[in-house]
Amino acid sequence: MTNSKWLQLDEKAQNILIKNDRGGFTVPTAGLYPYQWNWDSAFAGWGFSTFDIERAWQELESLFAGQWNNGMVPHILFRSNDPDYFPGPDVWGTEQCGPISSSGISQPPVAATFVRAIWEKDKTIGNNRLKKIFPKLKAWHKWFMTWRLTDRNCIFISHPWEAGRDNSPDWDNAMNPVGVGKYTRRDTSHVDGSMRPTQEDYDRYLWLVQRGRKLKWDEELMSVNRPFEVADPTMTFILLRASRDLLYMAEALDVDNIEISEWCSTLREGIETLRNPDGGFFNAINCRTDEHSGNITSASFLNWYAGIDDDETLKILTKTLEETRYPIPSLSINSEKFDGMRYWRGPTWVVLNSLVGIGLSEMGYIAEATLLRKRTQSLILEKGFAEYFHPLNGTPGGGDSFTWTAAVWLAWASPSNGEY
Ligand code: GLC
């Protein structure tokens, strides 16, 4: 890639972040996702930190402005009511729970890791900001350890949207909705239905929202006879990684770190229980039935990001890199459920690539990390800043001018970041 080519892309990516800025927070993309999403915002902050540190902090701070009294940071903050999105604030019914109208569930906690990255870029600006946001990050992690820890010591999700991998086949066998009633989806008016979750998936999403609403989003009440509880590698690896970063920041701030250090040990222990007994890879487990999903997803490769080396997984990753032109597919291309354009059932999401790539390089797998990063560069160069891409031919899917794809370009994929 020539120098001028990638500098042009850097500029384009910056403009996407600026265009998706709604005044101190970004939306993932105009139209399809008109509000502030949790992990999208954390990625956006990471992206902003490459050209505007002040704006990077603002992004994270605006996300934590929506933190609930119980510590949870919601997966969507509805700062306005946009009738073009469903299910909006009136469907969630969380009025009593937090300072900003929001959804009632959370999303993968990548925030602490990106806060650390932003802080380390410029500590003279960052020290004070870190001091303020640190207790909020800690309260959120505590919420996960209190309300989302399974007895296997890994993290479960209470709704498919919580994992950020909405329609992954990991949840296929984990629930049976009844009596959802009539509703109108809005997502399929923005992008083709063949790229979105099915109607059956949507019934399940809504059914769980209706249950939460009925129970007033009270975690204590919701924990009784949960109809959906799936131990998830995305959440477990990401929370472990983020807790390690939190621990590092606690030490730098010279504040008590015992509890955080215990969380890290607990999660470290839990990881092994996610291993599929037949395939050796890390997968999701339906906690109601103890059934392993048997799916190799992009989340199966997050172990290095969490600081865990694993030979079995390395073999599978090497094969995946060999057989896929634009890795990493969100579901193995050899799965019978593989569907290259349907959201989390096959497409490549560059956000996951960046996390896996960071982990690989940190643990010394430079060849694999470089390959993954170079393929991600070509993908974005050839196909643009789409929401996700077909892993075999790179066809762009979902929304366009996507915030987190631009952010990942700026903070990780762009050659402007140098070599590993
Ligand atoms: C979809 C994705 C989720 C993301 C959101 C906004 O729901 O599955 O991970 O946060 O869109 O981009």
Side-chain angles (χ1 to χ4, degrees), residues 28 33 37 39-40 107 164-166 343-344 349 387 402 404:
Y33 300 117
W37 259 259
W39 67 332
D40 298 65
Q107 252 192 338
R165 299 186 294 126
D166 307 12
Y343 226 38
W344 291 94
W349 295 70
E387 185 176 6
F402 221 85
W404 68 12

PDB file of all heavy atoms in Angstrom, residues 28 33 37 39-40 107 164-166 343-344 349 387 402 404, ligand 1:
ATOM      1  N   PRO A  28     -23.115   4.585  15.937  1.00  0.00           N
ATOM      2  CA  PRO A  28     -22.370   3.624  15.108  1.00  0.00           C
ATOM      3  C   PRO A  28     -22.458   3.935  13.623  1.00  0.00           C
ATOM      4  O   PRO A  28     -21.479   3.856  12.893  1.00  0.00           O
ATOM      5  CB  PRO A  28     -23.035   2.285  15.436  1.00  0.00           C
ATOM      6  CG  PRO A  28     -23.624   2.482  16.812  1.00  0.00           C
ATOM      7  CD  PRO A  28     -24.056   3.924  16.851  1.00  0.00           C
ATOM      8  N   TYR A  33     -28.393   2.698  13.253  1.00  0.00           N
ATOM      9  CA  TYR A  33     -28.112   2.754  14.702  1.00  0.00           C
ATOM     10  C   TYR A  33     -27.998   4.205  15.167  1.00  0.00           C
ATOM     11  O   TYR A  33     -26.908   4.752  15.282  1.00  0.00           O
ATOM     12  CB  TYR A  33     -26.809   2.021  15.027  1.00  0.00           C
ATOM     13  CG  TYR A  33     -26.814   0.566  14.642  1.00  0.00           C
ATOM     14  CD1 TYR A  33     -25.919   0.077  13.691  1.00  0.00           C
ATOM     15  CD2 TYR A  33     -27.702  -0.336  15.232  1.00  0.00           C
ATOM     16  CE1 TYR A  33     -25.911  -1.262  13.334  1.00  0.00           C
ATOM     17  CE2 TYR A  33     -27.698  -1.668  14.879  1.00  0.00           C
ATOM     18  CZ  TYR A  33     -26.805  -2.123  13.923  1.00  0.00           C
ATOM     19  OH  TYR A  33     -26.795  -3.439  13.570  1.00  0.00           O
ATOM     20  N   TRP A  37     -24.059   3.439  21.346  1.00  0.00           N
ATOM     21  CA  TRP A  37     -23.893   2.026  21.746  1.00  0.00           C
ATOM     22  C   TRP A  37     -22.622   1.894  22.583  1.00  0.00           C
ATOM     23  O   TRP A  37     -21.627   2.580  22.318  1.00  0.00           O
ATOM     24  CB  TRP A  37     -23.782   1.133  20.521  1.00  0.00           C
ATOM     25  CG  TRP A  37     -25.044   0.413  20.171  1.00  0.00           C
ATOM     26  CD1 TRP A  37     -25.338  -0.895  20.440  1.00  0.00           C
ATOM     27  CD2 TRP A  37     -26.194   0.933  19.490  1.00  0.00           C
ATOM     28  NE1 TRP A  37     -26.592  -1.203  19.971  1.00  0.00           N
ATOM     29  CE2 TRP A  37     -27.145  -0.113  19.391  1.00  0.00           C
ATOM     30  CE3 TRP A  37     -26.535   2.172  18.973  1.00  0.00           C
ATOM     31  CZ2 TRP A  37     -28.387   0.059  18.776  1.00  0.00           C
ATOM     32  CZ3 TRP A  37     -27.774   2.351  18.370  1.00  0.00           C
ATOM     33  CH2 TRP A  37     -28.682   1.296  18.276  1.00  0.00           C
ATOM     34  N   TRP A  39     -20.062  -0.683  23.424  1.00  0.00           N
ATOM     35  CA  TRP A  39     -18.684  -1.002  23.016  1.00  0.00           C
ATOM     36  C   TRP A  39     -18.286  -0.272  21.748  1.00  0.00           C
ATOM     37  O   TRP A  39     -17.110   0.002  21.520  1.00  0.00           O
ATOM     38  CB  TRP A  39     -18.375  -2.491  23.020  1.00  0.00           C
ATOM     39  CG  TRP A  39     -19.024  -3.438  22.047  1.00  0.00           C
ATOM     40  CD1 TRP A  39     -20.229  -3.338  21.450  1.00  0.00           C
ATOM     41  CD2 TRP A  39     -18.440  -4.682  21.588  1.00  0.00           C
ATOM     42  NE1 TRP A  39     -20.464  -4.438  20.656  1.00  0.00           N
ATOM     43  CE2 TRP A  39     -19.378  -5.281  20.727  1.00  0.00           C
ATOM     44  CE3 TRP A  39     -17.249  -5.350  21.820  1.00  0.00           C
ATOM     45  CZ2 TRP A  39     -19.149  -6.517  20.096  1.00  0.00           C
ATOM     46  CZ3 TRP A  39     -17.022  -6.582  21.200  1.00  0.00           C
ATOM     47  CH2 TRP A  39     -17.964  -7.147  20.354  1.00  0.00           C
ATOM     48  N   ASP A  40     -19.260   0.126  20.939  1.00  0.00           N
ATOM     49  CA  ASP A  40     -18.943   0.963  19.768  1.00  0.00           C
ATOM     50  C   ASP A  40     -18.279   2.261  20.228  1.00  0.00           C
ATOM     51  O   ASP A  40     -17.320   2.738  19.624  1.00  0.00           O
ATOM     52  CB  ASP A  40     -20.215   1.337  18.999  1.00  0.00           C
ATOM     53  CG  ASP A  40     -20.942   0.128  18.442  1.00  0.00           C
ATOM     54  OD1 ASP A  40     -21.437  -0.685  19.233  1.00  0.00           O
ATOM     55  OD2 ASP A  40     -21.013  -0.006  17.201  1.00  0.00           O
ATOM     56  N   GLN A 107     -23.039  -4.639  27.562  1.00  0.00           N
ATOM     57  CA  GLN A 107     -22.308  -5.108  26.371  1.00  0.00           C
ATOM     58  C   GLN A 107     -20.859  -5.396  26.767  1.00  0.00           C
ATOM     59  O   GLN A 107     -20.447  -5.045  27.875  1.00  0.00           O
ATOM     60  CB  GLN A 107     -22.363  -4.031  25.273  1.00  0.00           C
ATOM     61  CG  GLN A 107     -23.270  -4.407  24.121  1.00  0.00           C
ATOM     62  CD  GLN A 107     -23.124  -3.513  22.904  1.00  0.00           C
ATOM     63  OE1 GLN A 107     -22.663  -2.389  22.988  1.00  0.00           O
ATOM     64  NE2 GLN A 107     -23.565  -4.016  21.756  1.00  0.00           N
ATOM     65  N   GLY A 164     -22.942  -8.685  22.206  1.00  0.00           N
ATOM     66  CA  GLY A 164     -22.565  -7.908  21.032  1.00  0.00           C
ATOM     67  C   GLY A 164     -22.529  -8.751  19.769  1.00  0.00           C
ATOM     68  O   GLY A 164     -22.183  -8.268  18.696  1.00  0.00           O
ATOM     69  N   ARG A 165     -22.881 -10.041  19.891  1.00  0.00           N
ATOM     70  CA  ARG A 165     -22.890 -10.924  18.706  1.00  0.00           C
ATOM     71  C   ARG A 165     -24.325 -11.421  18.540  1.00  0.00           C
ATOM     72  O   ARG A 165     -24.632 -12.608  18.727  1.00  0.00           O
ATOM     73  CB  ARG A 165     -21.929 -12.104  18.920  1.00  0.00           C
ATOM     74  CG  ARG A 165     -20.487 -11.663  19.136  1.00  0.00           C
ATOM     75  CD  ARG A 165     -19.512 -12.832  19.204  1.00  0.00           C
ATOM     76  NE  ARG A 165     -19.719 -13.685  20.352  1.00  0.00           N
ATOM     77  CZ  ARG A 165     -19.905 -14.999  20.287  1.00  0.00           C
ATOM     78  NH1 ARG A 165     -19.932 -15.624  19.130  1.00  0.00           N
ATOM     79  NH2 ARG A 165     -20.065 -15.699  21.393  1.00  0.00           N
ATOM     80  N   ASP A 166     -25.179 -10.508  18.174  1.00  0.00           N
ATOM     81  CA  ASP A 166     -26.629 -10.669  18.282  1.00  0.00           C
ATOM     82  C   ASP A 166     -27.197 -12.030  17.868  1.00  0.00           C
ATOM     83  O   ASP A 166     -27.902 -12.670  18.614  1.00  0.00           O
ATOM     84  CB  ASP A 166     -27.335  -9.590  17.450  1.00  0.00           C
ATOM     85  CG  ASP A 166     -26.855  -8.191  17.799  1.00  0.00           C
ATOM     86  OD1 ASP A 166     -25.831  -8.055  18.499  1.00  0.00           O
ATOM     87  OD2 ASP A 166     -27.504  -7.231  17.365  1.00  0.00           O
ATOM     88  N   TYR A 343     -24.746 -11.201   9.290  1.00  0.00           N
ATOM     89  CA  TYR A 343     -24.445 -10.642  10.597  1.00  0.00           C
ATOM     90  C   TYR A 343     -23.402 -11.444  11.375  1.00  0.00           C
ATOM     91  O   TYR A 343     -22.265 -11.507  10.962  1.00  0.00           O
ATOM     92  CB  TYR A 343     -25.767 -10.525  11.335  1.00  0.00           C
ATOM     93  CG  TYR A 343     -25.983  -9.219  12.038  1.00  0.00           C
ATOM     94  CD1 TYR A 343     -25.566  -8.021  11.499  1.00  0.00           C
ATOM     95  CD2 TYR A 343     -26.623  -9.184  13.273  1.00  0.00           C
ATOM     96  CE1 TYR A 343     -25.776  -6.833  12.171  1.00  0.00           C
ATOM     97  CE2 TYR A 343     -26.845  -7.998  13.945  1.00  0.00           C
ATOM     98  CZ  TYR A 343     -26.409  -6.821  13.388  1.00  0.00           C
ATOM     99  OH  TYR A 343     -26.618  -5.659  14.053  1.00  0.00           O
ATOM    100  N   TRP A 344     -23.775 -12.104  12.477  1.00  0.00           N
ATOM    101  CA  TRP A 344     -22.770 -12.820  13.280  1.00  0.00           C
ATOM    102  C   TRP A 344     -22.761 -14.314  12.969  1.00  0.00           C
ATOM    103  O   TRP A 344     -22.331 -15.126  13.785  1.00  0.00           O
ATOM    104  CB  TRP A 344     -23.018 -12.572  14.771  1.00  0.00           C
ATOM    105  CG  TRP A 344     -22.708 -11.146  15.152  1.00  0.00           C
ATOM    106  CD1 TRP A 344     -23.599 -10.108  15.216  1.00  0.00           C
ATOM    107  CD2 TRP A 344     -21.422 -10.584  15.487  1.00  0.00           C
ATOM    108  NE1 TRP A 344     -22.956  -8.928  15.573  1.00  0.00           N
ATOM    109  CE2 TRP A 344     -21.627  -9.204  15.754  1.00  0.00           C
ATOM    110  CE3 TRP A 344     -20.123 -11.101  15.581  1.00  0.00           C
ATOM    111  CZ2 TRP A 344     -20.576  -8.337  16.123  1.00  0.00           C
ATOM    112  CZ3 TRP A 344     -19.094 -10.233  15.953  1.00  0.00           C
ATOM    113  CH2 TRP A 344     -19.333  -8.880  16.211  1.00  0.00           C
ATOM    114  N   TRP A 349     -15.835  -9.242  11.247  1.00  0.00           N
ATOM    115  CA  TRP A 349     -16.030  -7.956  11.926  1.00  0.00           C
ATOM    116  C   TRP A 349     -14.640  -7.481  12.344  1.00  0.00           C
ATOM    117  O   TRP A 349     -13.982  -8.148  13.158  1.00  0.00           O
ATOM    118  CB  TRP A 349     -16.930  -8.118  13.157  1.00  0.00           C
ATOM    119  CG  TRP A 349     -18.337  -8.528  12.835  1.00  0.00           C
ATOM    120  CD1 TRP A 349     -18.751  -9.735  12.373  1.00  0.00           C
ATOM    121  CD2 TRP A 349     -19.518  -7.714  12.950  1.00  0.00           C
ATOM    122  NE1 TRP A 349     -20.117  -9.731  12.187  1.00  0.00           N
ATOM    123  CE2 TRP A 349     -20.616  -8.504  12.546  1.00  0.00           C
ATOM    124  CE3 TRP A 349     -19.759  -6.395  13.367  1.00  0.00           C
ATOM    125  CZ2 TRP A 349     -21.927  -8.025  12.533  1.00  0.00           C
ATOM    126  CZ3 TRP A 349     -21.062  -5.921  13.367  1.00  0.00           C
ATOM    127  CH2 TRP A 349     -22.131  -6.726  12.953  1.00  0.00           C
ATOM    128  N   GLU A 387     -19.968  -2.075   7.999  1.00  0.00           N
ATOM    129  CA  GLU A 387     -20.195  -2.642   9.338  1.00  0.00           C
ATOM    130  C   GLU A 387     -19.458  -3.974   9.482  1.00  0.00           C
ATOM    131  O   GLU A 387     -18.841  -4.271  10.491  1.00  0.00           O
ATOM    132  CB  GLU A 387     -21.705  -2.835   9.541  1.00  0.00           C
ATOM    133  CG  GLU A 387     -22.101  -3.309  10.930  1.00  0.00           C
ATOM    134  CD  GLU A 387     -23.618  -3.400  11.098  1.00  0.00           C
ATOM    135  OE1 GLU A 387     -24.347  -3.196  10.090  1.00  0.00           O
ATOM    136  OE2 GLU A 387     -24.072  -3.668  12.218  1.00  0.00           O
ATOM    137  N   PHE A 402     -19.079   3.217   8.932  1.00  0.00           N
ATOM    138  CA  PHE A 402     -19.297   2.705  10.276  1.00  0.00           C
ATOM    139  C   PHE A 402     -18.223   3.173  11.253  1.00  0.00           C
ATOM    140  O   PHE A 402     -17.028   3.050  11.002  1.00  0.00           O
ATOM    141  CB  PHE A 402     -19.334   1.170  10.230  1.00  0.00           C
ATOM    142  CG  PHE A 402     -20.413   0.625  11.111  1.00  0.00           C
ATOM    143  CD1 PHE A 402     -21.705   0.503  10.652  1.00  0.00           C
ATOM    144  CD2 PHE A 402     -20.132   0.262  12.423  1.00  0.00           C
ATOM    145  CE1 PHE A 402     -22.719   0.032  11.479  1.00  0.00           C
ATOM    146  CE2 PHE A 402     -21.135  -0.214  13.252  1.00  0.00           C
ATOM    147  CZ  PHE A 402     -22.433  -0.327  12.774  1.00  0.00           C
ATOM    148  N   TRP A 404     -17.051   2.055  14.196  1.00  0.00           N
ATOM    149  CA  TRP A 404     -15.998   1.218  14.781  1.00  0.00           C
ATOM    150  C   TRP A 404     -15.035   0.667  13.730  1.00  0.00           C
ATOM    151  O   TRP A 404     -13.876   0.418  14.029  1.00  0.00           O
ATOM    152  CB  TRP A 404     -16.528   0.181  15.752  1.00  0.00           C
ATOM    153  CG  TRP A 404     -17.368  -0.968  15.272  1.00  0.00           C
ATOM    154  CD1 TRP A 404     -17.598  -1.394  14.003  1.00  0.00           C
ATOM    155  CD2 TRP A 404     -18.050  -1.888  16.148  1.00  0.00           C
ATOM    156  NE1 TRP A 404     -18.400  -2.505  14.026  1.00  0.00           N
ATOM    157  CE2 TRP A 404     -18.690  -2.824  15.330  1.00  0.00           C
ATOM    158  CE3 TRP A 404     -18.180  -2.013  17.533  1.00  0.00           C
ATOM    159  CZ2 TRP A 404     -19.463  -3.883  15.843  1.00  0.00           C
ATOM    160  CZ3 TRP A 404     -18.930  -3.050  18.047  1.00  0.00           C
ATOM    161  CH2 TRP A 404     -19.574  -3.968  17.211  1.00  0.00           C
TER     162      TRP A 404
HETATM  163  C1  GLC B   1     -25.210  -4.691  16.369  1.00  0.00           C
HETATM  164  C2  GLC B   1     -23.991  -5.476  16.792  1.00  0.00           C
HETATM  165  C3  GLC B   1     -23.473  -4.934  18.115  1.00  0.00           C
HETATM  166  C4  GLC B   1     -23.187  -3.450  17.964  1.00  0.00           C
HETATM  167  C5  GLC B   1     -24.408  -2.703  17.419  1.00  0.00           C
HETATM  168  C6  GLC B   1     -24.092  -1.280  17.028  1.00  0.00           C
HETATM  169  O1  GLC B   1     -26.265  -4.857  17.241  1.00  0.00           O
HETATM  170  O2  GLC B   1     -24.275  -6.825  16.897  1.00  0.00           O
HETATM  171  O3  GLC B   1     -22.326  -5.624  18.529  1.00  0.00           O
HETATM  172  O4  GLC B   1     -22.800  -2.912  19.172  1.00  0.00           O
HETATM  173  O5  GLC B   1     -24.899  -3.339  16.260  1.00  0.00           O
HETATM  174  O6  GLC B   1     -23.055  -1.234  16.088  1.00  0.00           O
END
